Amino acid sequence: MKIQHIFFDLDNTLWDHRKNAYLTIQDLFNSEEITLKHSIDFEEFHSVYHEINERLWEQIRDGEIDKEYLRKHRFYDTFNHFGIDDLKLSMYFEEHFLDKILNYNHLVESADVILEYLKAKNYTLHIISNGFQEVTERKCILSGIDHYFQSITSADSVGVRKPNPEIFEYSLGIAKAKKEDSILVGDDWIADIIGSQQFGIDCIFFDVLNENPQQENLKVIKHLLQIKEYL
């Protein structure tokens, strides 16, 4: 059956979370004069934060921790790495990070172009995200891409995260889509690609980190405009 429904992951597939987070943390770091007070270089701080945050998100995906644990620990563990045991400071960063990240709404390169292209070809577009419910829709609205999507599913609205098949089942259900006429585009190998494959829908791996997986017949892109090669 011909593809009719395209499900997109949001963070780092369409909405440039890495860039937006970097700029937000840089603002907080500078406003709190962390280099002056604690002699920490921002690039080193951000590198440590990024590694810790990625690991915590993997633990959320695997069901090992919940979002409250992540919110308490990602900045606390980062500061602690530099010998600063300050829960008040880390929670200040966490609370303001969640508020201020939506001041930045950079999209992944050509995200708006490919969405316009796919919409013009009469595909029905959807979002399926592992992000928090309270920010997923606002990211789409504030970045100006919300009007492209018939449905927006976040993990919090289902109670499970990709690669759990329940979130795919839920998203296809509200989209009134069938597995055989659906495809998912995402950048996370386990959550998006393994998840969709195990659920039984086709997928396109957006290999932004050059993981270069060796899987036969896998659809792989390095740039969003390459979606045109498959759809």
Side-chain angles (χ1 to χ4, degrees), residues 41-53:
D41 173 72
F42 172 71
E43 295 298 336
E44 187 178 357
F45 179 88
H46 179 264
S47 177
V48 172
Y49 164 82
H50 179 73
E51 183 177 336
I52 288 171
N53 187 56

Side-chain angles (χ1 to χ4, degrees), residues 8-72:
F8 280 93
D9 172 57
L10 182 61
D11 286 349
N12 298 318
T13 298
L14 297 173
W15 196 83
D16 197 341
H17 185 273
R18 291 185 184 91
K19 183 174 184 177
N20 296 326
Y22 177 93
L23 293 170
T24 304
I25 296 168
Q26 187 176 52
D27 284 348
L28 288 168
F29 191 90
N30 291 337
S31 68
E32 292 304 301
E33 300 181 322
I34 300 301
T35 297
L36 181 64
K37 294 175 181 176
H38 301 288
S39 300
I40 303 172
D41 173 72
F42 172 71
E43 295 298 336
E44 187 178 357
F45 179 88
H46 179 264
S47 177
V48 172
Y49 164 82
H50 179 73
E51 183 177 336
I52 288 171
N53 187 56
E54 290 288 305
R55 185 169 65 247
L56 289 170
W57 272 107
E58 288 173 3
Q59 289 180 278
I60 279 188
R61 180 197 66 205
D62 296 340
E64 297 172 5
I65 61 172
D66 58 19
K67 67 179 183 181
E68 296 308 319
Y69 184 94
L70 177 140
R71 287 176 167 174
K72 182 177 180 180

Side-chain angles (χ1 to χ4, degrees), residues 180-198:
E180 57 268 25
D181 64 14
S182 302
I183 194 167
L184 180 136
V185 182
D187 72 299
D188 188 298
W189 176 252
I190 294 176
D192 296 319
I193 305 309
I194 299 301
S196 59
Q197 289 176 340
Q198 290 179 342

